Amino acid sequence: MTVTQAAPFIRTADQEHRDRRWSVLVLLCVSLLLITVDATVLHIAVPALTAALEPSAVELLWIIDTYSLVVAPLLIMFGTLGDRYGRKRLVLGGYLLFGLASAGAAFAPTPLTLILARALLGVGGAMIMPATLSLIRQVFTDRRERAIALGVWSAVAAAGAAVGPLIGGVLVGIWWGAVFLINVPILLALLPAAVRLLPDSPVRKDRPWDGVSAVLSVFGILALAFGLKEAGAGSLMPLWASVLVFLGGLALLGLFVRRQLRLRAPLLEVGLFRRREFATGVAGVLLGVFSLVGLQLMLAQYLQLVLGDSPLHAAVRMLPLVISAISGGLAAAHILPRIGMRATMSGGLGLVALSLAPTLSWGVEAHPVTLALCFVGIGFGVQVALLAASDTIMSSASESQAGGAAAIEETAYELGAGLGVAVLGTITTIVYAPGLPSVPGVSASGMDQARQSLAGAAHVAHEIGGSAGGALMDAARWAFVNALHTTVVVSVVLLSLTAVAVAMLLSRD
């Protein structure tokens, strides 16, 4: 056989990777699902976690929120580092760190240890997430197939937050640490598959990377979140110091934006925000995820600590949210071409606001049918709005700016999740604590712990027992319901204003 005759049988590495492209997509989507689920998997586990570690209200918010708030500012940094040093290398390193941090979180003995482990989880997630999207673009060279793959990626990214509480509800019945430990065997299976399947991306060491920008963005967002949380609870510093930290975070982010506008190769393409459609799309993603994740946390606590559902029962009660979110993603692909981006995005946000309105009449009694309908409206509306927002973002950026636009969209997802817990959780804490009056038979120290959070009140009530414990739990339930109403009002106002702004700012299709 001649060399020419043998040539057709010689397969290049690129051809092999193209043949494995759908296997690569499955691998990347499972990786993405792990990252997005971890943003909300603790929502159902709050009561069990509080009973085990006894965190304060601020510590509890940091345990839940640190992950998303670490992921968000690091996405851009690791996205550019992946371009510079190789995406496959970054994904493999992210797997190792995510697995080690998951094991550390599962066996954390104190709230502080768990917060640090969650921060490391965020670093590992930020190493993996940007590379998943870039590798899809690299592996799928056919435009039609790439569109299908990106649609699957987007659906997994959005559905992960909705699936998190369901997974958490199943696992917390075994042990609260299982919500983290489950990651370890999955990652042990993913690691050798990634070594074999993922293609090597071209290393671009000539690409400039600005470390100062990375530092400004990370510390700016963390200072913003820390100041906001402390202003609500004030456990570590006085109010004036919390305000100064918050303003310092704003100043650092202002310097970050100014620096990006001056750099020839910025970490974040902030110039894209000059386009009205792009800025509106990012705002839609940010607020959609903000509402979904923040309200999930509040409603999960409502189901367990106000209505008395078990973690698994609460997870099942939230199943309509998951199903409707998936259905919304599938339906949005058909709705969008028919009524246009403006009507789809504003209508989706408006549906979420409308679905939340009935919760303002709820007390401590069960509303099974109304609750299910509210979850259906929230999940469907958020997912429809997110798909329209994503389409707006990508269509308003040129082909050469597609990578920067995608990075901003990913950051908006994670920042929305972090801010949703931070802002809505802080509002709930501010209203809940003064709304819980002193209860006869409960010591001053017990009342202080009960005012930290509803989960804390449940823990104190269980320890005291008797009529005093029952009276404390009744008072705490009503205080939480009143705080939940305030949180819902804030969410409805924000969603309604954004829906109106979208209808006014986006052009007719």
Side-chain angles (χ1 to χ4, degrees), residues 70-248:
V70 169
V71 170
L74 293 178
L75 285 173
I76 300 296
M77 183 181 79
F78 282 121
T80 54
L81 284 176
D83 290 338
R84 185 176 172 87
Y85 296 109
R87 299 175 193 124
K88 180 176 180 178
R89 188 180 303 174
L90 210 62
V91 169
L92 297 177
Y95 282 168
L96 290 173
L97 183 57
F98 204 87
L100 291 172
S102 295
F107 298 103
T110 65
L112 179 59
T113 310
L114 183 53
I115 290 169
L116 293 175
R118 290 278 284 167
L120 287 177
L121 274 169
V123 177
M127 293 172 71
I128 300 166
M129 189 173 183
T132 62
L133 194 56
S134 301
L135 286 167
I136 286 173
R137 293 177 184 276
Q138 178 183 340
V139 171
F140 287 88
T141 54
D142 179 78
R143 180 171 289 185
R144 185 181 60 84
E145 289 186 346
R146 185 190 299 162
I148 295 171
L150 290 175
V152 173
W153 183 96
S154 178
V156 171
V163 173
L166 182 64
I167 295 173
V170 173
L171 294 176
V172 76
I174 304 169
W175 166 50
W176 72 264
V179 298
F180 298 113
L181 202 58
I182 190 65
N183 293 336
V184 177
I186 296 173
L187 287 163
L188 287 175
L190 287 178
L191 191 59
V195 171
R196 185 171 59 89
L197 291 174
L198 294 184
D200 293 313
S201 56
V203 176
R204 301 172 59 184
K205 292 190 175 180
D206 58 327
R207 183 184 178 94
W209 186 79
D210 187 49
V212 175
S213 295
V215 171
L216 287 173
S217 64
V218 171
F219 284 97
I221 291 175
L222 289 179
L224 207 69
F226 185 78
L228 185 66
K229 290 177 186 294
E230 279 300 301
S235 63
L236 298 177
M237 59 178 64
L239 179 61
W240 63 267
S242 303
V243 173
L244 282 180
V245 172
F246 181 84
L247 293 176

Side-chain angles (χ1 to χ4, degrees), residues 195-343:
V195 171
R196 185 171 59 89
L197 291 174
L198 294 184
D200 293 313
S201 56
V203 176
R204 301 172 59 184
K205 292 190 175 180
D206 58 327
R207 183 184 178 94
W209 186 79
D210 187 49
V212 175
S213 295
V215 171
L216 287 173
S217 64
V218 171
F219 284 97
I221 291 175
L222 289 179
L224 207 69
F226 185 78
L228 185 66
K229 290 177 186 294
E230 279 300 301
S235 63
L236 298 177
M237 59 178 64
L239 179 61
W240 63 267
S242 303
V243 173
L244 282 180
V245 172
F246 181 84
L247 293 176
L250 285 177
L252 288 174
L253 292 177
L255 290 173
F256 171 77
V257 170
R258 186 177 177 184
R259 186 174 181 86
Q260 302 317 292
L261 292 171
R262 293 196 319 227
L263 291 173
R264 282 193 295 179
L267 283 184
L268 187 70
E269 295 280 354
V270 295
L272 287 169
F273 285 94
R274 295 193 182 102
R275 300 174 189 176
R276 186 172 59 184
E277 291 82 4
F278 182 87
T280 305
V282 172
V285 169
L286 189 71
L287 192 59
V289 178
F290 175 100
S291 303
L292 178 66
V293 175
L295 289 168
Q296 267 188 345
L297 173 61
M298 303 302 114
L299 292 171
Q301 292 183 72
Y302 176 82
L303 290 174
Q304 292 179 84
L305 299 174
V306 175
L307 301 186
D309 288 349
S310 67
L312 182 57
H313 189 201
V316 172
R317 292 273 291 270
M318 295 182 79
L319 193 57
L321 183 70
V322 179
I323 296 171
S324 62
I326 295 170
S327 302
L330 297 173
H334 301 285
I335 296 171
L336 188 59
R338 286 175 170 79
I339 66 175
M341 284 188 286
R342 184 174 69 166

Side-chain angles (χ1 to χ4, degrees), residues 5-25:
Q5 290 174 320
F9 299 97
I10 299 174
R11 301 173 56 79
T12 65
D14 286 343
Q15 286 173 326
E16 289 180 1
H17 287 309
R18 280 198 296 272
D19 289 346
R20 297 173 179 174
R21 60 195 182 282
W22 298 110
S23 299
V24 170
L25 178 63

